[in-house]
Amino acid sequence: LETLFTATSRPTARIERWLLRIQAFKFRVVYRRGSANLADCLSRLGSHVADQWTDETEVYIRRIVAVSLSTFADCDDCCTFDVETEIFIRTIQESAAIDIEEVIQATMSDNEMSKLKECVQSGKWDNAEMKQYALFRTEYTVANNLIMRGNKLVIPAGLRHRMCQLAHEGHPGESKMKTRLRDRCWWPGIDTDAVQTCKSCEGCRLVQVPDAPEPMSRRSLPEKAWVDVALDFLGPMPGGEYVLVVIDY
């Protein structure tokens, strides 16, 4: 705890990632002596609670989809929203980029997404094809045939090129484009796809600043003859011969 919460500590990169993940939660740390906090595995096993799908869960998921796709699907009759959420919905609807139904259909028809969904629901990640997804196995959620990693929507392969093109509107450059994508969605190799989109853009290549040439440098004059000597071959001559040329600076 001292490593995590002391202002003067310098934790490792892994612990810093832990801190970034828990920033989204409100919590209070309570210290308990070791004698009063037995760390055996049986005492840490909680009772099983069945998953409950509530209106708050629906609102949270729809907000994620709205931010990811700049759209918001029609709400179910059984789901009511507060005023703040209704304003959020109407604002996002005006800038629709990809329809949620299109993402659902692409996710359901994508073989890789089907395998990912199966791994998330079963908890078994022994499939070698899911190695690139298994690193974040604790962050996935499946809801309404959509797959999310944390608060970002996982985009199927069929829509990734389109998402890159949308993020590249205005030719923002690699760094800005990566930020746009990371704030909205995720898929394996998202940074690589962003870089390739920028490099393949004809407009970006036309206005790209060329690399500065290496500056020319002068050689210092030798103090006397035959101090610096250069040799090279001249040829082939018309008869097939080569001439050894020697010159001193």
Side-chain angles (χ1 to χ4, degrees), residues 185-200:
C185 54
W186 179 85
W187 67 82
I190 186 172
D191 289 348
T192 303
D193 291 346
V195 173
Q196 291 298 327
T197 301
C198 293
K199 289 183 177 180
S200 61

Side-chain angles (χ1 to χ4, degrees), residues 18-66:
W18 293 349
L19 293 174
L20 290 175
R21 291 186 180 181
I22 64 177
Q23 283 181 354
F25 304 95
K26 293 182 179 180
F27 58 91
R28 183 168 59 93
V29 179
V30 179
Y31 171 75
R32 292 184 180 179
R33 298 178 61 87
S35 58
N37 184 25
L38 298 179
D40 62 286
C41 59
L42 293 179
S43 63
R44 294 181 180 271
L45 290 177
S47 59
H48 176 71
V49 179
D51 295 335
Q52 296 180 355
W53 188 271
T54 63
D55 291 348
E56 293 182 358
T57 306
E58 183 76 15
V59 171
Y60 177 73
I61 292 175
R62 291 182 181 274
R63 278 178 172 268
I64 293 176
V65 176

Side-chain angles (χ1 to χ4, degrees), residues 121-132:
Q121 293 177 338
S122 64
K124 298 179 180 179
W125 294 87
D126 51 355
N127 191 338
E129 298 179 4
M130 294 290 102
K131 183 178 180 180
Q132 54 188 349

